[in-house]
Amino acid sequence: MTTISANLQAVRARIAAAAELAGRAVEDIRLLAVSKTFPPERLREAAEAGQRAFGENYVQEGLAKIDALGDLGLEWHFIGPLQSNKTRQVAEHFAWVHSIDRLKIAERLAEARGAERPALQVCIQVNVSGEASKSGVSPGDTAALAHGLAALPNLRLRGLMAIPEPTDDMALARQRFAALRALRDALNREGLALDTLSMGMSHDLEAAILEGATIVRVGSAIFGERHYA
Ligand SMILES: *Cc1c(COP(=O)(O)O)cnc(C)c1O
């Protein structure tokens, strides 16, 4: 067994244990393997161990891996900051985008996706930590963005994503994740049908699952420590 397949097994066991504690069905929680900085061979190992969905943060790096691993039929999620000059490449090559925080970016993605393809699945990134984080729309501006986005063609708004500030305080982590869930529930009461909460990473996936995460985005616990060039 390779390190990556053993790590994947351990992460799946953590997800199952947290789901059980939360009284939730484990099938309702998807594992997204976050593979930024790792070469295609490591992703191939993860795919051989049964992993289907991969998350990438940088457009050029992601496209190179999508190309290198095109034989595997994997599902690609874009989870990093997105600039308007990269929207076409993302709309053409990814199935999901988790990190939308401006309507202008969503409009460009919708136009580039076109009507011939299945809708691009998207989440709005919300800044649930206030000053401590720079990315994401503020909770107060989320409803306006969600309604604007839901009206666009070629995109399907699935839910909300957050990256709370890192903390060892389980209670604080749960509070941030609960805030994202409350925001999603409020939008659903306003008539949207959002089924996705993309929240929880290697160090806090248990807290996220206890608060309703439907996609956990896990990098280092699967692939090991990242080294940035
Ligand atoms: C890198 C990254 C992750 C994974 O983080 P780990 O701590 O390595 O699990 C998840 N989500 C986003 C948006 C990331 O950039």
Side-chain angles (χ1 to χ4, degrees), residues 92-146:
E92 284 176 0
H93 296 282
F94 287 82
W96 283 70
V97 178
H98 292 228
S99 45
I100 294 184
D101 60 4
R102 282 178 291 156
L103 191 60
K104 179 178 160 230
I105 294 286
E107 286 167 347
R108 293 180 64 104
L109 286 169
E111 194 190 336
R113 184 71 170 189
E116 321 75 49
R117 314 248 338 259
L120 184 65
Q121 312 292 302
V122 302
C123 291
I124 292 174
Q125 183 175 351
V126 183
N127 179 356
V128 291
S129 302
E131 294 301 304
S133 153
K134 5 173 219 339
S135 297
V137 66
S138 70
D141 291 336
T142 303
L145 179 55

Side-chain angles (χ1 to χ4, degrees), residues 34 36 57 79 161 163 201-203 217-220 226:
V34 175
K36 60 174 179 265
N57 292 62
I79 62 172
M161 179 273 236
I163 314 173
M201 316 200 297
S202 293
H203 65 284
R217 308 178 312 269
V218 178
S220 48
R226 283 183 292 275

